Amino acid sequence: MKEAGTSFQQMVWKALEKIPSGKVTTYKAIAEHIGSKAMRAVGSAVGKNPYAPDVPCHRVIPSSGKIGNYSAPGGVDKKIELLAKEGVEVRDGWIVKFKEKLYLF
DNA sequence: AGCGTGACGAACT
DNA sequence: TAGTTCGCCACGC
């Protein structure tokens, strides 16, 4: 994988790789981890992630516990499927036992 | 060089 | 209780 985009995005993508399988994290957690409070910027960065799905961007969800969105091929449906395979159950767009699956840096 | 937009969040009405 | 509005930072046009 090569350096793409800005250093900001690279930080975000790097953080994504830190997320262990079967766990999920929130945009807010990432934002704080990289020293920014703009979870929007993080969302944009992840959405523009050229490495998807090489990077586990599907393990990132809004702090609401919702599934959020997914730009990679397959869309949200694919995202749910991937998570399900990793042991993260999703019911009607909601993460089951969200707090238990949540991974903080 | 400036404005609008976006895989969000929290507060307010 | 639900829906709406404003704010956050970075990036594209």
Side-chain angles (χ1 to χ4, degrees):
Chain A
M1 79 158 102
K2 306 286 166 268
E3 296 78 37
T6 70
S7 59
F8 181 79
Q9 288 203 320
Q10 287 176 41
M11 279 192 293
V12 176
W13 302 330
K14 211 156 199 169
L16 296 183
E17 294 185 314
K18 280 188 56 187
I19 308 172
S21 181
K23 292 276 188 175
V24 295
T25 195
T26 66
Y27 295 103
K28 188 179 180 183
I30 296 174
E32 292 183 2
H33 176 63
I34 65 181
S36 186
K37 348 178 194 52
M39 58 299 289
R40 295 204 67 148
V42 176
S44 288
V46 178
K48 289 162 186 164
N49 167 21
Y51 306 121
D54 284 322
V55 285
C57 44
H58 55 273
R59 291 179 191 151
V60 189
I61 59 175
S63 65
S64 341
K66 263 278 194 180
I67 265 302
N69 220 317
Y70 197 60
S71 292
V76 180
D77 184 55
K78 183 70 175 179
K79 179 174 182 176
I80 295 173
E81 189 180 303
L82 288 169
L83 288 173
K85 279 188 174 183
E86 298 180 352
V88 180
E89 303 168 69
V90 179
R91 284 299 185 209
D92 192 43
W94 292 84
I95 302 294
V96 179
K97 294 173 185 168
F98 167 60
K99 288 188 288 189
E100 294 179 21
K101 308 290 185 184
L102 184 57
Y103 172 80
L104 288 243
F105 295 94

